[in-house]
Amino acid sequence: MKNLNVIWMMAVVFVMSTASVLGQSEAKKNKIIADSKMAKAEFIKADALMKDLFENAHGYVIFPNVGKGGFGIGGAAGNGVVYEKGKIIGMAKLSQLSIGFQAGGQAYREVIFFEAKKDLSRFEESNFEFSAQASAVAATEGASANVKYAEGVMVFTALKGGLMYEASVGGQKFKFNKL
């Protein structure tokens, strides 16, 4: 029974991670863009100081709806919008696989700020991924005040709902598609 759960979860993660942003309909892209604008407003509402980050970063990617779940083996996936100097330049796909003690599911938003052109370019080449050691800051009032770029990136998340217990190891991988 446990082996069947593991195989099922791996199949779900595989399907989520291989779905292409390019294959999305125009209506779905427009929904993701609208959701990213709303997520940006929610990040700024949670921490007004983030407005400066959005205005001063060379670029950023917003994943407005990331779903995460697991039981032993877990995964997460979401689609996002990539901005350079405040203008949309492409769409992105986030996928994550994790192994360890975890149970439950949750939904969250994620924004990644890029300090310079070279950092955004690394993301655009789809060579960008976070290891298990990468950390994100929860977007709460004043959270961005003392956060600094680490290797040209800064990451914030905001929980939307759900409950998940987790002590796992994993990483996020990204795929960029230029518009």
Side-chain angles (χ1 to χ4, degrees), residues 129-150:
E129 57 187 76
F130 289 132
S131 68
Q133 291 78 29
S135 61
V137 175
T140 56
E141 186 64 41
S144 65
N146 296 314
V147 178
K148 305 281 186 249
Y149 283 98

Side-chain angles (χ1 to χ4, degrees), residues 91-107:
M91 304 296 287
K93 174 81 177 162
L94 173 155
S95 57
Q96 175 180 319
L97 179 64
S98 55
I99 299 172
F101 176 75
Q102 54 193 322
Q106 62 184 189

